[in-house]
Amino acid sequence: MKYIDEYRNKELIQKLANKISNLTNQEITLMEVCGGHTWSSQKFGLPSLLPSNIRLISGPGCPVCVTSKKFIDYAIKLSNLPNTIITLFGDLIKVPGSFSSLYYERSKGNDVRIVYSITDAINIAELNPSKQIIFLAIGFETTAPSTAAAILTATQKKLRNFFILSSHKIMPPAMAALIDEGIKINGYIAPGHVSTITGSYIYENLVKKYRVGCVISGFEPLDMLQSIYMLIQQIINNDFKVEIQYRRAVKPEGNMKAKELMCKVFTLRDDWWRGLGVIPNSGLRLNDEYSCFDAEKVFNIMVEEVDEDPACICGQILKGLKTPNDCKLFAKTCTPDNPVGACMVSHEGACNIYYRLNKYE
Amino acid sequence: MSKKILLEHGSGGKLSHQLINELFVKYFYNPLLALQSDSAIINLETNNIAFTTDSFVITPIFFPGGNIGKLAVCGTINDLAVAGAIPKYISASFILEEGLPLADLEEIVSSMAEEARYAGVLIVAGDTKVVEKGHCDKVFITTTGIGILEKKFNHISSGINIGCGDKIIINGPIAEHGMAIILARNFQNFKSEITSDCASLNHLIREILESDCNIKFMRDATRGGLATVLCEIALKCKVNIIVDESLIPISENVAAMCEVFGFDPLYIANEGKIVIVCDKNHTEKVLEIMHRNQYGKQAAVIGEIVKVNQYQKGNVVLNTKVGGKRIINMLSGEQIPRIC
């Protein structure tokens, strides 16, 4: 496959892995901020190519994993409304709320449909004028622009039966919050797709303030190894900066059009992240101008605050403090078929990835 | 005859008889079925038989490379064949949804007859029920099959003879059926030339078994894909397996679509792929037979059974294309496209 095989060249990978091994004996912890990076490194078996002093840990960059139970409870209550179709990304359907999941609600007859893009949800709204269609809008800067574009489309088309329940979040505040909590990270393998939208400037403060490495990485094995190499260089030279390894996709200024769309449609708000709690200015809600599409405002449903399962250590895993193997529930009571925490549900979640690709006892 | 299936087609009355005679008996014709008695009486002249059953509920019912009928016949034939048996007789039970176009049913039945003829099996018994619209999805088919098993092949289905050094062979590129079905569902409006690998493998398997190669185990890699079969072998026989990703045949189209959706092709369904574990001294012979057959042209050795060493007993280790290693587990949950 052109544009893929080049980045999976075995000899180059071996060479690069050897170079990394010879760089330092220092213990280094790097965080794969994005779930896509965890998926990639496990899929290609990258940890087996790295020396034992280089540790990769999974971060909070899986949209499903940081989604709160409260959000799911809210969505379930919406799905109980008459003449309502809930549309969502597949990963979200099995995430347990505090009393049920949308998967279970669907089996009871609620109309819950998996879509592959928000455009599909718009189409469903146009085809079903007598129903109200609610899209569960999750994801970071990668998916937020498409939600913004869909809201503008819905405005143009004067759709009155289309709504979103937003749990959109932005990445940098969470990356900063992790270090504020005292988590020891030497460098970030920074998200590739998020950065195609945001550009690289958003990480500058983070690097200056906390003195950590930061390399925006692609998702192929050579991309990731090169990023790891660049990060170790930064760390051993004490020269912390934001670098872009993923140059074929990421520009320092990002995607201006997508950013404009986001600014036009969304406003920052404090948001709750599973495992990290409330992080100021880390979530996106619709601007007042578009509040007629905002399911929170239109339907005004009350949902009680809920506690997470005390045995579930998703929070510590998201912070990179523990690995799935440290969890008592992992692969026992918590499996992809019967997930306790969200990290087991999403294909980008550390627990799910470990379960599918890694060794467990 | 009416152009659509009506509830009356399943009532046991005139329309039912018409459907049986003008469709099922016509296409599946053989003396045993023509008798239309309550049971087909068959003489097997052996007391060692293989016996299997499977239900088919696929959407869509027609897809590139086959349809639900062909799938129902191939599936049962392959289940018998991989146990080392010679498939002989099949029964086919249909649950039809009211309103199903008769032309669709005719096409399905016709391809079942064609596949049975190719494989050399007789469809000797059947049943038809019709349910109200919305109570099933167009057509569900259950096939049950009987095959004759020579005692010398009794060990194949359990894999008890599997040992260190044995080689693992697959007869061709993986993940074609599953990806063809996903694309046939008009997934994301992608167009592609991927067709299902749905095929009866009994002739290929028979030729291998008659070659006196020491075949230790066979299984068709259907739902759950190649990965699931390998995990089953490792668990069942308490052995470790090492597989080399670069040796696993996969078409460029399928690999590319899997990349787009974020699917792992190792877990995607096949309907014409067989995994064989054989003595390492006989791999060349098995490959030679496979390469001559239309269903084995791209057959390859993909891995081997290894001694228990640093890996836990019953593990499958994949040497990735890029030189890394990872453990392969059973599929849990469904594969779903990733968000970003």
Side-chain angles (χ1 to χ4, degrees), chain A residues 290-331:
Chain A
Y290 300 102
S291 59
C292 61
F293 299 108
D294 191 337
E296 282 176 69
K297 299 221 166 108
V298 176
F299 300 105
N300 196 23
I301 281 172
M302 295 305 291
V303 175
E304 284 171 25
E305 294 296 329
V306 287
D307 293 325
E308 304 294 332
D309 187 325
C312 170
I313 61 165
C314 268
Q316 283 160 293
I317 291 167
L318 290 171
K319 288 177 193 163
L321 290 173
K322 298 232 160 117
T323 71
N325 281 320
D326 297 324
C327 181
K328 281 182 193 152
L329 307 179
F330 179 69

Side-chain angles (χ1 to χ4, degrees), chain A residues 219-264:
Chain A
F219 295 85
E220 293 299 324
L222 261 180
D223 288 323
M224 289 195 62
L225 286 180
Q226 191 185 7
S227 301
I228 291 166
Y229 181 82
M230 290 160 78
L231 277 167
I232 299 173
Q233 292 276 17
Q234 287 189 19
I235 293 159
I236 55 181
N237 296 327
N238 229 358
D239 178 22
F240 300 108
K241 56 192 170 193
V242 182
E243 289 185 282
I244 305 174
Q245 179 279 331
Y246 197 24
R247 280 174 189 278
R248 62 189 185 279
V250 177
K251 288 181 281 187
E253 70 278 14
N255 180 333
M256 298 308 284
K257 195 162 179 197
K259 284 201 276 191
E260 275 165 32
L261 275 178
M262 280 168 68
C263 278
K264 191 171 163 63

Side-chain angles (χ1 to χ4, degrees), chain A residues 60-80:
Chain A
C62 155
V64 171
C65 304
V66 293
T67 298
S68 64
K69 277 189 178 170
K70 194 176 168 184
F71 179 81
I72 301 294
D73 290 351
Y74 205 113
I76 289 170
K77 286 205 170 172
L78 288 173
S79 79
N80 290 331

Side-chain angles (χ1 to χ4, degrees), chain A residues 1 8 10 13 36 39 42-45 48-49 64 91 116 138 221 336-337 347-348 355-358 360, chain B residues 187-188 252 255-256 259 267 312 320-327 329 332-340:
Chain A
M1 271 175 288
R8 298 181 184 175
K10 193 175 176 180
I13 284 169
W39 160 248
Q42 296 295 331
K43 177 182 167 190
F44 293 104
S48 69
L49 292 168
V64 171
D91 287 33
Y116 299 98
I138 66 163
D337 289 332
H347 275 217
E348 291 180 20
Y355 187 90
R356 280 181 295 134
L357 302 181
N358 221 330
Y360 59 91
Chain B
F187 198 83
Q188 294 279 65
E252 182 144 342
E259 282 296 331
Y267 293 94
Q312 194 191 358
T320 68
K321 275 183 187 165
V322 304
K325 282 188 198 304
R326 69 167 156 104
I327 303 267
N329 282 320
S332 188
E334 299 160 67
Q335 287 215 93
I336 19 187
R338 291 174 40 229
I339 291 177
C340 62

Side-chain angles (χ1 to χ4, degrees), chain B residues 151-161 214-216:
Chain B
K151 287 216 160 63
K152 63 177 176 180
F153 298 134
N154 271 359
H155 64 277
I156 287 177
S157 56
S158 68
I160 44 167
N161 292 353
N214 185 1
I215 303 299
K216 309 277 188 86

Side-chain angles (χ1 to χ4, degrees), chain A residues 339-351:
Chain A
V340 177
C343 304
M344 186 55 98
V345 180
S346 169
H347 275 217
E348 291 180 20
C351 296

